[in-house]
Amino acid sequence: MKTLKMILITLCCVAVTGVVNAQKKSDKHPIKIGMAGYTFVKFDLDSTLKVLDKLDVRYLCVKDFHLPLNSTDAQMDAFKAKLKAKNIIPYGAGPIYMKSQQEVDRAFDYAKRLGVNLIVAVPNYELLPYVSDKCKEYDMKIAIHLHGPDLDVYPNATDVWEHVKDLDPRMGICMDIGHNLRTGDDPVKDIEKYQSRIFDLHLKDVTAASKEGHGIEVGRGIIDFPALVKELRKIKYDGVCSLEYEKDMNDPMLGIAESIGYFKGICAQ
Amino acid sequence: MKTLKMILITLCCVAVTGVVNAQKKSDKHPIKIGMAGYTFVKFDLDSTLKVLDKLDVRYLCVKDFHLPLNSTDAQMDAFKAKLKAKNIIPYGAGPIYMKSQQEVDRAFDYAKRLGVNLIVAVPNYELLPYVSDKCKEYDMKIAIHLHGPDLDVYPNATDVWEHVKDLDPRMGICMDIGHNLRTGDDPVKDIEKYQSRIFDLHLKDVTAASKEGHGIEVGRGIIDFPALVKELRKIKYDGVCSLEYEKDMNDPMLGIAESIGYFKGICAQ
């Protein structure tokens, strides 16, 4: 009798799980969620990795304050071992500013030793042909970080596109959806337009489509995330969507977690 | 020239905002997101309110460890002032166990003095007719908390329904979607079935549809949240969905924030 009851309970559970689990068997194009290292500018590597692990975020774009550009191979190995222990994948490095050929050389060498094939970069405009040659030489992708109306260089995706479209096809865009919108350009439309060169994406939300707009928890601002995810699936984006959270940088953990949760919720639909 | 530029920028921003803001003008039935006080069993009221405010969660179901059942009117007033200062609304009290008529009386008096019209309750079965009379007398709703396969009383929504369906219509269910599923019952189907008596909802996720299932960050378990929200909108649920997060209760903040964010993301679709 007890066995029969056990069998019935098991069958029942399997049936219910079948219903509730339907969403998990989605055949939608998967969206990779990651973290832009800059989000943790006020926190050391160990604290950062602990949070990523708790949030089940498995991709990190490495910033130099967690792994200096002049790290020795031994320091690189120790860094990689720490990430591996937490099951976190370094998928890129940057943003790295490049103001000279020496700085370009150092960045490519750093990325190669780190074992990534993507640099999120801000090279001076006049260095772009040199960077393009380096991409060919290293078989490395460059995602140029656009920075909205705040900086003189690379305000939006269109500006990056115009500067890289005739260079090596590994020269592309890190689509910062917040900064792009702050210049008045719709990030969703630009992802469609420049899809062949979108290699990285900075996930964030902003309060206004203007210079005055500032960072806020994902979902609380004006970006249309359902439309964003729909577009990313449409173009079969296979890069990472990395949260760059810039509000309350001394005490950002709740905002980071809420933002990651929100984006997971959007992706679950 | 400068003025013309400003006008153009403004027009451009308005146009873009028009596009990206489409999601915010939703005419979907709104879902109220709240917090079950129990989530903060290890934290005092001030810490709790600080977190709710940061997460923009505006509804709290008050637990007795934050406001004892024998609080004086002065203590009640101080409590209410603290919530008001953070723009947080106490919408209910409980869960409150009721093992005698005296405990029923005390709970109704407490809720009335707190100024809420909902008690999340676990009354002994034999007290139900007495509680029903009290609902009439106080014009107060009771949402009986179901507790899955762990307790002897009220395992699931069906059990609560069977016990209250012939009593005062203010006697209803606090749908704990996790515990209901852990008894093998689909919470979405039961919300449809018992919609006239669902007065509160405990939001959570679980790892399995069985006694062995345990709490986990919302979105990481087996509950189908898109289907849940669709159902809540279908029945025009006007109660609160309150997160009851029971994982890592000593260090739950990231999990709470991720869970709230995830549910907001689901509701945004």
Side-chain angles (χ1 to χ4, degrees), chain B residues 51-105:
Chain B
V51 172
L52 294 192
D53 188 38
K54 277 205 112 173
L55 295 176
D56 199 22
V57 167
R58 300 293 155 200
Y59 296 94
L60 174 65
C61 192
V62 179
K63 267 299 281 181
D64 54 359
F65 48 74
H66 285 153
L67 182 71
L69 291 167
N70 61 0
S71 295
T72 63
D73 284 348
Q75 287 166 330
M76 284 263 179
D77 289 344
F79 178 90
K80 286 186 236 181
K82 272 192 180 181
L83 267 67
K84 200 172 179 186
K86 290 279 190 196
N87 194 22
I88 290 163
I89 299 161
Y91 77 93
I96 300 177
Y97 285 76
M98 302 172 182
K99 295 178 187 308
S100 66
Q101 290 194 357
Q102 287 74 7
E103 286 184 11
V104 175
D105 294 348

Short mmCIF file of all heavy atoms in Angstrom, two decimals, chain B residues 51-105:
data_model
loop_
_atom_site.label_atom_id
_atom_site.label_comp_id
_atom_site.label_asym_id
_atom_site.label_seq_id
_atom_site.Cartn_x
_atom_site.Cartn_y
_atom_site.Cartn_z
N VAL B 51 15.53 48.06 2.86
CA VAL B 51 15.62 47.19 1.68
C VAL B 51 14.37 47.33 0.81
O VAL B 51 14.48 47.46 -0.42
CB VAL B 51 15.84 45.72 2.10
CG1 VAL B 51 15.75 44.78 0.90
CG2 VAL B 51 17.19 45.57 2.79
N LEU B 52 13.20 47.32 1.43
CA LEU B 52 11.96 47.47 0.64
C LEU B 52 11.99 48.77 -0.16
O LEU B 52 11.64 48.80 -1.34
CB LEU B 52 10.73 47.46 1.56
CG LEU B 52 10.42 46.17 2.31
CD1 LEU B 52 9.03 46.23 2.92
CD2 LEU B 52 10.53 44.96 1.41
N ASP B 53 12.43 49.84 0.50
CA ASP B 53 12.48 51.13 -0.17
C ASP B 53 13.44 51.08 -1.36
O ASP B 53 13.12 51.53 -2.46
CB ASP B 53 12.91 52.20 0.84
CG ASP B 53 12.80 53.60 0.27
OD1 ASP B 53 11.84 53.86 -0.48
OD2 ASP B 53 13.68 54.43 0.54
N LYS B 54 14.61 50.49 -1.15
CA LYS B 54 15.60 50.40 -2.25
C LYS B 54 15.05 49.58 -3.41
O LYS B 54 15.33 49.86 -4.57
CB LYS B 54 16.91 49.76 -1.75
CG LYS B 54 17.82 50.76 -1.06
CD LYS B 54 19.29 50.32 -1.12
CE LYS B 54 20.09 51.25 -2.02
NZ LYS B 54 21.52 51.04 -2.03
N LEU B 55 14.28 48.55 -3.09
CA LEU B 55 13.72 47.69 -4.15
C LEU B 55 12.43 48.26 -4.73
O LEU B 55 11.84 47.65 -5.62
CB LEU B 55 13.47 46.28 -3.60
CG LEU B 55 14.70 45.49 -3.18
CD1 LEU B 55 14.29 44.16 -2.58
CD2 LEU B 55 15.61 45.25 -4.38
N ASP B 56 11.99 49.39 -4.20
CA ASP B 56 10.73 50.00 -4.64
C ASP B 56 9.56 49.03 -4.45
O ASP B 56 8.67 48.95 -5.31
CB ASP B 56 10.83 50.47 -6.09
CG ASP B 56 9.76 51.49 -6.44
OD1 ASP B 56 9.22 52.13 -5.52
OD2 ASP B 56 9.45 51.64 -7.64
N VAL B 57 9.59 48.31 -3.34
CA VAL B 57 8.47 47.42 -2.98
C VAL B 57 7.64 48.17 -1.94
O VAL B 57 8.17 48.54 -0.89
CB VAL B 57 9.00 46.08 -2.40
CG1 VAL B 57 7.88 45.30 -1.73
CG2 VAL B 57 9.64 45.26 -3.51
N ARG B 58 6.39 48.43 -2.24
CA ARG B 58 5.60 49.37 -1.43
C ARG B 58 4.55 48.71 -0.54
O ARG B 58 3.83 49.40 0.17
CB ARG B 58 4.93 50.40 -2.35
CG ARG B 58 5.92 51.22 -3.17
CD ARG B 58 6.75 52.14 -2.28
NE ARG B 58 8.04 52.48 -2.90
CZ ARG B 58 9.08 52.93 -2.20
NH1 ARG B 58 9.02 53.10 -0.90
NH2 ARG B 58 10.20 53.18 -2.82
N TYR B 59 4.43 47.39 -0.57
CA TYR B 59 3.42 46.71 0.24
C TYR B 59 4.10 45.70 1.18
O TYR B 59 4.90 44.88 0.75
CB TYR B 59 2.43 45.96 -0.65
CG TYR B 59 1.62 46.87 -1.55
CD1 TYR B 59 2.05 47.16 -2.85
CD2 TYR B 59 0.46 47.48 -1.09
CE1 TYR B 59 1.32 48.01 -3.67
CE2 TYR B 59 -0.27 48.34 -1.91
CZ TYR B 59 0.16 48.60 -3.20
OH TYR B 59 -0.55 49.44 -4.00
N LEU B 60 3.72 45.77 2.44
CA LEU B 60 4.29 44.84 3.43
C LEU B 60 3.18 44.14 4.19
O LEU B 60 2.24 44.78 4.68
CB LEU B 60 5.18 45.62 4.42
CG LEU B 60 5.74 44.82 5.60
CD1 LEU B 60 6.72 43.73 5.13
CD2 LEU B 60 6.44 45.74 6.60
N CYS B 61 3.29 42.81 4.29
CA CYS B 61 2.41 42.05 5.19
C CYS B 61 3.18 41.92 6.51
O CYS B 61 4.26 41.33 6.56
CB CYS B 61 2.09 40.68 4.58
SG CYS B 61 0.76 39.85 5.47
N VAL B 62 2.63 42.49 7.55
CA VAL B 62 3.35 42.70 8.81
C VAL B 62 3.43 41.42 9.65
O VAL B 62 2.41 40.77 9.91
CB VAL B 62 2.67 43.82 9.62
CG1 VAL B 62 3.39 44.05 10.94
CG2 VAL B 62 2.60 45.11 8.80
N LYS B 63 4.65 41.08 10.07
CA LYS B 63 4.82 39.93 10.96
C LYS B 63 5.01 40.40 12.39
O LYS B 63 5.51 41.50 12.65
CB LYS B 63 6.04 39.10 10.52
CG LYS B 63 5.71 37.96 9.57
CD LYS B 63 4.76 36.90 10.13
CE LYS B 63 5.44 35.91 11.05
NZ LYS B 63 4.47 34.89 11.55
N ASP B 64 4.63 39.52 13.33
CA ASP B 64 4.64 39.92 14.74
C ASP B 64 6.03 40.19 15.30
O ASP B 64 6.16 40.94 16.28
CB ASP B 64 3.90 38.87 15.59
CG ASP B 64 4.45 37.47 15.38
OD1 ASP B 64 5.40 37.31 14.56
OD2 ASP B 64 3.95 36.53 16.02
N PHE B 65 7.08 39.63 14.67
CA PHE B 65 8.42 39.95 15.21
C PHE B 65 8.82 41.39 14.89
O PHE B 65 9.76 41.92 15.47
CB PHE B 65 9.49 38.94 14.72
CG PHE B 65 9.49 38.65 13.25
CD1 PHE B 65 9.96 39.57 12.33
CD2 PHE B 65 9.02 37.42 12.79
CE1 PHE B 65 9.97 39.29 10.98
CE2 PHE B 65 9.02 37.14 11.42
CZ PHE B 65 9.50 38.08 10.52
N HIS B 66 8.11 42.02 13.96
CA HIS B 66 8.34 43.45 13.70
C HIS B 66 7.35 44.34 14.46
O HIS B 66 7.62 45.51 14.72
CB HIS B 66 8.24 43.75 12.20
CG HIS B 66 9.43 43.29 11.41
ND1 HIS B 66 9.38 42.95 10.08
CD2 HIS B 66 10.72 43.08 11.78
CE1 HIS B 66 10.57 42.58 9.66
NE2 HIS B 66 11.40 42.64 10.68
N LEU B 67 6.20 43.75 14.80
CA LEU B 67 5.18 44.49 15.56
C LEU B 67 4.42 43.46 16.40
O LEU B 67 3.49 42.81 15.90
CB LEU B 67 4.21 45.22 14.62
CG LEU B 67 3.13 46.05 15.31
CD1 LEU B 67 3.73 47.30 15.96
CD2 LEU B 67 2.02 46.45 14.32
N PRO B 68 4.82 43.29 17.67
CA PRO B 68 4.22 42.23 18.50
C PRO B 68 2.70 42.35 18.59
O PRO B 68 2.15 43.47 18.53
CB PRO B 68 4.88 42.45 19.86
CG PRO B 68 6.18 43.13 19.56
CD PRO B 68 5.90 44.00 18.36
N LEU B 69 2.05 41.21 18.75
CA LEU B 69 0.59 41.17 18.80
C LEU B 69 0.04 41.97 19.99
O LEU B 69 -1.09 42.44 19.95
CB LEU B 69 0.11 39.72 18.89
CG LEU B 69 0.35 38.89 17.61
CD1 LEU B 69 0.16 37.40 17.88
CD2 LEU B 69 -0.59 39.33 16.49
N ASN B 70 0.85 42.11 21.04
CA ASN B 70 0.38 42.86 22.21
C ASN B 70 0.89 44.30 22.23
O ASN B 70 0.98 44.92 23.29
CB ASN B 70 0.79 42.13 23.50
CG ASN B 70 2.33 42.01 23.60
OD1 ASN B 70 3.04 42.49 22.71
ND2 ASN B 70 2.81 41.39 24.66
N SER B 71 1.21 44.83 21.05
CA SER B 71 1.70 46.22 20.97
C SER B 71 0.67 47.20 21.51
O SER B 71 -0.54 47.03 21.30
CB SER B 71 2.01 46.60 19.52
OG SER B 71 3.07 45.82 19.02
N THR B 72 1.17 48.21 22.18
CA THR B 72 0.28 49.29 22.64
C THR B 72 -0.08 50.17 21.44
O THR B 72 0.56 50.09 20.38
CB THR B 72 1.00 50.17 23.68
OG1 THR B 72 2.13 50.78 23.03
CG2 THR B 72 1.48 49.34 24.87
N ASP B 73 -1.06 51.02 21.62
CA ASP B 73 -1.41 51.95 20.55
C ASP B 73 -0.23 52.86 20.20
O ASP B 73 -0.01 53.17 19.03
CB ASP B 73 -2.63 52.81 20.96
CG ASP B 73 -3.93 52.01 20.87
OD1 ASP B 73 -3.91 50.90 20.28
OD2 ASP B 73 -4.95 52.48 21.40
N ALA B 74 0.53 53.25 21.19
CA ALA B 74 1.69 54.11 20.94
C ALA B 74 2.72 53.38 20.08
O ALA B 74 3.30 53.95 19.14
CB ALA B 74 2.33 54.54 22.26
N GLN B 75 2.93 52.09 20.38
CA GLN B 75 3.88 51.29 19.57
C GLN B 75 3.35 51.14 18.13
O GLN B 75 4.12 51.19 17.17
CB GLN B 75 4.10 49.92 20.22
CG GLN B 75 4.97 50.02 21.48
CD GLN B 75 4.92 48.75 22.33
OE1 GLN B 75 3.91 48.03 22.37
NE2 GLN B 75 6.01 48.49 23.03
N MET B 76 2.04 50.94 18.03
CA MET B 76 1.41 50.86 16.70
C MET B 76 1.66 52.15 15.92
O MET B 76 2.01 52.12 14.74
CB MET B 76 -0.11 50.70 16.85
CG MET B 76 -0.55 49.32 17.25
SD MET B 76 -1.04 48.39 15.77
CE MET B 76 -1.46 46.81 16.50
N ASP B 77 1.44 53.27 16.58
CA ASP B 77 1.60 54.57 15.91
C ASP B 77 3.04 54.77 15.44
O ASP B 77 3.28 55.25 14.32
CB ASP B 77 1.18 55.72 16.84
CG ASP B 77 -0.34 55.74 17.05
OD1 ASP B 77 -1.04 55.09 16.25
OD2 ASP B 77 -0.80 56.40 18.00
N ALA B 78 3.99 54.40 16.30
CA ALA B 78 5.40 54.56 15.94
C ALA B 78 5.74 53.68 14.73
O ALA B 78 6.44 54.10 13.80
CB ALA B 78 6.29 54.19 17.12
N PHE B 79 5.19 52.46 14.73
CA PHE B 79 5.40 51.52 13.62
C PHE B 79 4.85 52.12 12.32
O PHE B 79 5.54 52.17 11.30
CB PHE B 79 4.69 50.20 13.96
CG PHE B 79 4.78 49.16 12.88
CD1 PHE B 79 5.83 48.25 12.85
CD2 PHE B 79 3.80 49.07 11.89
CE1 PHE B 79 5.91 47.29 11.86
CE2 PHE B 79 3.87 48.11 10.89
CZ PHE B 79 4.93 47.21 10.88
N LYS B 80 3.61 52.59 12.40
CA LYS B 80 2.97 53.13 11.20
C LYS B 80 3.71 54.37 10.67
O LYS B 80 3.84 54.56 9.47
CB LYS B 80 1.50 53.50 11.50
CG LYS B 80 0.59 52.28 11.62
CD LYS B 80 -0.87 52.72 11.76
CE LYS B 80 -1.50 52.16 13.01
NZ LYS B 80 -2.91 52.54 13.18
N ALA B 81 4.21 55.17 11.59
CA ALA B 81 4.95 56.38 11.18
C ALA B 81 6.23 55.99 10.43
O ALA B 81 6.59 56.61 9.43
CB ALA B 81 5.28 57.22 12.40
N LYS B 82 6.90 54.93 10.91
CA LYS B 82 8.12 54.47 10.23
C LYS B 82 7.83 54.02 8.81
O LYS B 82 8.57 54.31 7.88
CB LYS B 82 8.74 53.29 11.00
CG LYS B 82 9.69 53.71 12.08
CD LYS B 82 10.49 52.53 12.62
CE LYS B 82 11.44 53.01 13.70
NZ LYS B 82 12.27 51.94 14.24
N LEU B 83 6.75 53.28 8.64
CA LEU B 83 6.38 52.81 7.30
C LEU B 83 6.01 53.99 6.41
O LEU B 83 6.44 54.06 5.25
CB LEU B 83 5.22 51.81 7.36
CG LEU B 83 5.65 50.33 7.41
CD1 LEU B 83 6.35 50.00 8.71
CD2 LEU B 83 4.47 49.40 7.19
N LYS B 84 5.26 54.91 6.97
CA LYS B 84 4.81 56.06 6.17
C LYS B 84 6.02 56.88 5.70
O LYS B 84 6.04 57.36 4.56
CB LYS B 84 3.87 56.93 7.01
CG LYS B 84 3.02 57.85 6.15
CD LYS B 84 1.95 58.58 6.93
CE LYS B 84 1.17 59.49 5.96
NZ LYS B 84 0.22 60.34 6.65
N ALA B 85 7.00 57.01 6.57
CA ALA B 85 8.19 57.80 6.22
C ALA B 85 8.92 57.18 5.03
O ALA B 85 9.61 57.88 4.28
CB ALA B 85 9.13 57.89 7.42
N LYS B 86 8.79 55.87 4.87
CA LYS B 86 9.45 55.19 3.73
C LYS B 86 8.46 54.95 2.60
O LYS B 86 8.77 54.23 1.64
CB LYS B 86 10.04 53.85 4.19
CG LYS B 86 11.25 53.99 5.10
CD LYS B 86 12.51 54.25 4.30
CE LYS B 86 13.77 54.14 5.16
NZ LYS B 86 14.92 54.75 4.51
N ASN B 87 7.26 55.47 2.73
CA ASN B 87 6.25 55.30 1.68
C ASN B 87 5.89 53.82 1.45
O ASN B 87 5.76 53.37 0.31
CB ASN B 87 6.74 55.96 0.39
CG ASN B 87 5.63 56.12 -0.64
OD1 ASN B 87 4.46 56.13 -0.28
ND2 ASN B 87 6.00 56.23 -1.90
N ILE B 88 5.80 53.09 2.57
CA ILE B 88 5.45 51.66 2.49
C ILE B 88 4.11 51.43 3.17
O ILE B 88 3.87 51.93 4.27
CB ILE B 88 6.57 50.80 3.11
CG1 ILE B 88 7.80 50.86 2.20
CG2 ILE B 88 6.12 49.35 3.33
CD1 ILE B 88 9.07 50.42 2.85
N ILE B 89 3.26 50.67 2.50
CA ILE B 89 1.89 50.47 2.97
C ILE B 89 1.76 49.10 3.65
O ILE B 89 2.05 48.08 3.04
CB ILE B 89 0.91 50.53 1.78
CG1 ILE B 89 0.98 51.92 1.11
CG2 ILE B 89 -0.51 50.18 2.20
CD1 ILE B 89 0.42 51.95 -0.31
N PRO B 90 1.34 49.07 4.93
CA PRO B 90 1.04 47.78 5.54
C PRO B 90 -0.33 47.34 5.04
O PRO B 90 -1.32 48.00 5.30
CB PRO B 90 1.01 48.10 7.04
CG PRO B 90 0.63 49.55 7.12
CD PRO B 90 1.03 50.20 5.82
N TYR B 91 -0.36 46.24 4.26
CA TYR B 91 -1.64 45.88 3.62
C TYR B 91 -2.31 44.69 4.31
O TYR B 91 -3.46 44.37 4.03
CB TYR B 91 -1.45 45.56 2.14
CG TYR B 91 -0.84 44.20 1.87
CD1 TYR B 91 -1.65 43.08 1.65
CD2 TYR B 91 0.53 44.02 1.87
CE1 TYR B 91 -1.10 41.83 1.43
CE2 TYR B 91 1.09 42.78 1.66
CZ TYR B 91 0.26 41.68 1.43
OH TYR B 91 0.82 40.44 1.22
N GLY B 92 -1.58 44.04 5.20
CA GLY B 92 -2.13 42.89 5.90
C GLY B 92 -1.24 42.52 7.07
O GLY B 92 -0.16 43.11 7.26
N ALA B 93 -1.69 41.55 7.86
CA ALA B 93 -0.90 41.08 9.00
C ALA B 93 -0.84 39.57 8.96
O ALA B 93 -1.82 38.91 8.61
CB ALA B 93 -1.53 41.55 10.30
N GLY B 94 0.33 39.03 9.31
CA GLY B 94 0.41 37.58 9.41
C GLY B 94 1.59 37.00 8.66
O GLY B 94 2.44 37.74 8.19
N PRO B 95 1.64 35.68 8.54
CA PRO B 95 0.68 34.73 9.08
C PRO B 95 0.60 34.76 10.62
O PRO B 95 1.62 34.86 11.29
CB PRO B 95 1.22 33.37 8.63
CG PRO B 95 2.07 33.67 7.43
CD PRO B 95 2.65 35.02 7.70
N ILE B 96 -0.65 34.67 11.12
CA ILE B 96 -0.91 34.59 12.55
C ILE B 96 -1.58 33.25 12.83
O ILE B 96 -2.62 32.94 12.23
CB ILE B 96 -1.83 35.74 13.02
CG1 ILE B 96 -1.19 37.12 12.72
CG2 ILE B 96 -2.14 35.62 14.51
CD1 ILE B 96 -2.09 38.31 13.09
N TYR B 97 -0.97 32.48 13.71
CA TYR B 97 -1.60 31.22 14.14
C TYR B 97 -2.68 31.53 15.16
O TYR B 97 -2.51 32.43 15.98
CB TYR B 97 -0.54 30.26 14.71
CG TYR B 97 0.31 29.66 13.62
CD1 TYR B 97 1.31 30.40 12.98
CD2 TYR B 97 0.09 28.36 13.17
CE1 TYR B 97 2.06 29.87 11.95
CE2 TYR B 97 0.84 27.81 12.14
CZ TYR B 97 1.81 28.57 11.53
OH TYR B 97 2.55 28.04 10.49
N MET B 98 -3.81 30.79 15.11
CA MET B 98 -4.92 31.02 16.05
C MET B 98 -5.36 29.67 16.60
O MET B 98 -5.93 28.87 15.86
CB MET B 98 -6.09 31.68 15.32
CG MET B 98 -5.75 33.01 14.65
SD MET B 98 -7.12 33.61 13.61
CE MET B 98 -6.42 35.11 12.93
N LYS B 99 -5.04 29.45 17.87
CA LYS B 99 -5.32 28.15 18.47
C LYS B 99 -6.45 28.20 19.48
O LYS B 99 -6.80 27.17 20.09
CB LYS B 99 -4.04 27.59 19.11
CG LYS B 99 -2.94 27.28 18.09
CD LYS B 99 -1.67 26.78 18.77
CE LYS B 99 -0.51 26.63 17.80
NZ LYS B 99 -0.79 25.85 16.58
N SER B 100 -6.98 29.40 19.71
CA SER B 100 -8.09 29.55 20.66
C SER B 100 -8.91 30.77 20.26
O SER B 100 -8.44 31.61 19.47
CB SER B 100 -7.54 29.76 22.08
OG SER B 100 -6.86 31.01 22.13
N GLN B 101 -10.13 30.89 20.84
CA GLN B 101 -10.96 32.07 20.54
C GLN B 101 -10.26 33.35 20.99
O GLN B 101 -10.34 34.38 20.32
CB GLN B 101 -12.33 31.93 21.22
CG GLN B 101 -13.18 30.85 20.58
CD GLN B 101 -14.65 30.92 20.99
OE1 GLN B 101 -15.05 31.75 21.81
NE2 GLN B 101 -15.46 30.02 20.42
N GLN B 102 -9.53 33.26 22.10
CA GLN B 102 -8.80 34.44 22.59
C GLN B 102 -7.78 34.89 21.54
O GLN B 102 -7.61 36.08 21.30
CB GLN B 102 -8.08 34.15 23.92
CG GLN B 102 -8.98 34.03 25.15
CD GLN B 102 -9.76 32.69 25.18
OE1 GLN B 102 -9.54 31.80 24.34
NE2 GLN B 102 -10.69 32.56 26.11
N GLU B 103 -7.11 33.91 20.94
CA GLU B 103 -6.10 34.28 19.93
C GLU B 103 -6.76 34.85 18.67
O GLU B 103 -6.19 35.72 18.01
CB GLU B 103 -5.22 33.07 19.59
CG GLU B 103 -4.24 32.75 20.72
CD GLU B 103 -3.27 31.62 20.39
OE1 GLU B 103 -3.19 31.20 19.23
OE2 GLU B 103 -2.60 31.16 21.34
N VAL B 104 -7.95 34.37 18.36
CA VAL B 104 -8.70 34.95 17.24
C VAL B 104 -9.05 36.40 17.57
O VAL B 104 -8.80 37.32 16.77
CB VAL B 104 -9.99 34.14 16.95
CG1 VAL B 104 -10.82 34.83 15.85
CG2 VAL B 104 -9.67 32.70 16.55
N ASP B 105 -9.59 36.59 18.76
CA ASP B 105 -9.97 37.95 19.18
C ASP B 105 -8.78 38.90 19.10
O ASP B 105 -8.88 40.01 18.57
CB ASP B 105 -10.50 37.94 20.63
CG ASP B 105 -11.81 37.16 20.76
OD1 ASP B 105 -12.42 36.84 19.71
OD2 ASP B 105 -12.21 36.86 21.90
#
